Amino acid sequence: ALPFLLPLSMSSTAQENVGMRARDIGITIGIFETGERNQISDVGGVLVGHQTVRAGDSVNTGVTAILPHGGNIYQDRVRAAIVVGNGYGKLLGITQVEELGELETPILLTCTLCVWRAADALVDWMLKQPGMQEVRSLNAVVGETNDGYLNDIRSRPISSAHVVAALESASSDVAEGNVGAGTGTVAFGWKGGIGTSSRVLPGQFGGHTVGVLVQSNFGGILTVDGAPVGIELKQYAFKRAVSGSGDGSIMIVVATDAPLDARLLRRLGTRALTGLARTGSSMSNGSGDYVIAFSTDRSNDVLPDDEMSPLFQAVAEATEEAIYNSMLAAETTMGHRGTIDALPRDRLIEILRKYGKLD
C-alpha cells in the first residue's frame, strides 16, 4: 500500500519544538530587518506547499513545492540560476537553467530516490494546465537530499498524488520542521527539516526583499550565531575517526524581487553558501549543496553590480537563520534505522548565554 497523505494540520506529533524559531529564543542573525512573516513568501507572489508522507516508523519523507508565482510558470517564466557548492546530488533540470537562465516549472524538493517519480508527476501536472496542449518539451526542476536513515528510501514512497497535493496546496504560509521534504532529514546529527527566513533592505539600498527556504540534511560542526554549539554538546563531525565525515546535503532556494538577470542571480546564490558556512558546514565530499535562485521581477531592468552587496549580506543572513529555523522547528523522530533527537533547546540556550549571544 502507498504511504498515506498527512495533512499539514496533522503533520507532527505536537512535541515541544513545533513552531519554534530562532527569534523565539532570542537569536537575531545579522543587521537587516526580516519581512512580515520572516519567510520566503515575503517575496511577493511566492508560494510553498508541502505533503508529508509517513507510514509506521519506516517511512518519513515528503514533497515540498516552491512556486515563484501562482500562474502558469511555463507561460510566464522567471529568471533563475543554480549554484553548485558540492555536486554530490541529483538535481534535475540544472543544465537548461544554466543555459537559458530561467525557470519554466515550479521547484520540487523530495528524497533522493524519489526525484524521478516526483519529476514525472510534475511534468504530468504541468501538461494538464490550460494552454499547454502543444507543449513538447518541459524542464522539470527537482532537488533532493538523502533521508535514508529515518526513511525507507528504497521503497520510493512518493506518488503522483503526493506531488499534486503539494503543488495545489501551495500558499504564502510556510510550515517548517518535520514537513514535506524535511520530514526525514538530519542536520549536524540532530533532526533537520524545512526552514525559511527573509530580509528586507532599507530604502537607501533599494528596499528589495530576499527570501530563503532550506531542506537541511547535512553535517559539520554546528555553530549558532558564532557559538560552538556542536563542540559544547559533544556532537560533531570528525570527533572520532569512526564518527563520520559530516556528509549530507542541503537544498537552498533563494527568491528575490530585485531586478536580477541570471548572472546576478548566480552571484546572489553563491553568497547563500556563506550563510551555510556560518552554521558550521564545510560542504564535505558526500554532500550535495545546491542553491536555486530566482527573481520575481518582470521588468527588463537589471541592477548594477555595485548595488549587489546589500543583497549579498541579506541572503547570507537569511540562509543562516533559515537553517536554524529548520532545526528548531523539528521534532525528535523515530524512523527506519533508529531515532534522531531534536536539537535540545534548553542546552542550546545555555550555550548561547555562555558565549554572550543572548541577553
Side-chain angles (χ1 to χ4, degrees), residues 9-347:
S9 62
M10 298 171 58
S11 64
S12 73
T13 54
Q15 294 185 19
E16 66 275 10
N17 280 17
V18 175
M20 179 62 63
R21 311 191 81 197
R23 291 176 185 249
D24 294 334
I25 60 175
I27 301 170
T28 303
I29 302 300
I31 58 172
F32 290 136
E33 296 293 326
T34 71
E36 180 180 357
R37 299 182 182 88
N38 193 17
Q39 298 181 341
I40 192 173
S41 55
D42 288 324
V43 178
V46 176
L47 306 172
V48 177
H50 301 296
Q51 270 302 310
T52 299
V53 182
R54 289 187 176 137
D57 292 331
S58 63
V59 172
N60 290 281
T61 193
V63 180
T64 294
I66 302 95
L67 285 65
H69 58 74
N72 187 314
I73 298 169
Y74 181 85
Q75 297 170 341
D76 190 7
R77 304 175 194 187
V78 298
R79 292 179 285 193
I82 294 175
V83 174
V84 180
N86 190 66
Y88 197 108
K90 292 81 188 162
L91 176 53
L92 292 192
I94 183 171
T95 58
Q96 186 170 314
V97 176
E98 288 183 338
E99 186 71 22
L100 301 183
E102 61 186 18
L103 286 174
E104 61 184 35
T105 72
I107 300 163
L108 294 184
L109 305 179
T110 189
C111 73
T112 300
L113 293 183
C114 298
V115 165
W116 303 275
R117 290 185 174 179
D120 185 66
L122 174 58
V123 169
D124 187 61
W125 181 81
M126 288 287 294
L127 292 178
K128 291 177 180 176
Q129 301 305 304
M132 299 288 283
Q133 290 82 1
E134 298 301 318
V135 173
R136 290 175 172 80
S137 175
L138 197 61
N139 188 49
V141 176
V142 183
E144 53 79 26
T145 69
N146 192 314
D147 56 15
Y149 187 84
L150 291 174
N151 176 44
D152 181 9
I153 198 168
R154 287 174 59 89
S155 70
R156 297 191 293 162
I158 296 300
S159 72
S160 178
H162 299 138
V163 172
V164 171
L167 289 163
E168 296 189 349
S169 68
S171 74
S172 58
D173 186 15
V174 184
E176 297 178 294
N178 292 30
V179 293
T183 303
T185 62
V186 181
F188 297 106
W190 288 283
K191 185 67 186 68
I194 296 293
T196 186
S197 184
S198 68
R199 293 295 184 274
V200 179
L201 297 182
Q204 65 265 37
F205 298 131
H208 306 297
T209 300
V210 176
V212 173
L213 181 143
V214 302
Q215 177 193 17
S216 64
N217 190 59
F218 63 101
I221 305 171
L222 178 60
T223 304
V224 178
D225 196 16
V229 173
I231 292 174
E232 288 282 347
L233 293 176
K234 297 180 173 56
Q235 179 164 287
Y236 53 89
F238 310 109
K239 180 182 175 184
R240 298 181 304 274
V242 296
S243 67
S245 62
D247 285 348
S249 301
I250 184 169
M251 292 297 308
I252 303 170
V253 179
V254 175
T256 185
D257 57 13
L260 307 183
D261 61 11
R263 181 181 66 86
L264 293 178
L265 284 164
R266 188 171 293 107
R267 298 188 72 203
L268 183 68
T270 300
R271 273 59 178 194
L273 295 174
T274 69
L276 171 63
R278 291 173 187 174
T279 69
S281 169
S282 60
M283 295 186 291
S284 61
N285 176 69
S287 192
D289 307 302
Y290 298 94
V291 184
I292 306 172
F294 63 85
S295 171
T296 61
D297 179 77
R298 301 297 206 283
S299 72
N300 293 320
D301 298 334
V302 177
L303 209 64
D305 284 288
D306 59 8
E307 294 182 21
M308 289 295 295
S309 291
L311 290 169
F312 294 162
Q313 177 69 28
V315 76
E317 292 181 9
T319 302
E320 182 181 2
E321 186 167 339
I323 292 168
Y324 300 148
N325 286 341
S326 76
M327 299 180 69
L328 285 166
E331 313 148 35
T332 297
T333 300
M334 179 181 296
H336 183 53
R337 297 187 176 184
T339 297
I340 297 294
D341 292 330
L343 181 65
R345 282 192 329 232
D346 292 346
R347 288 286 290 120

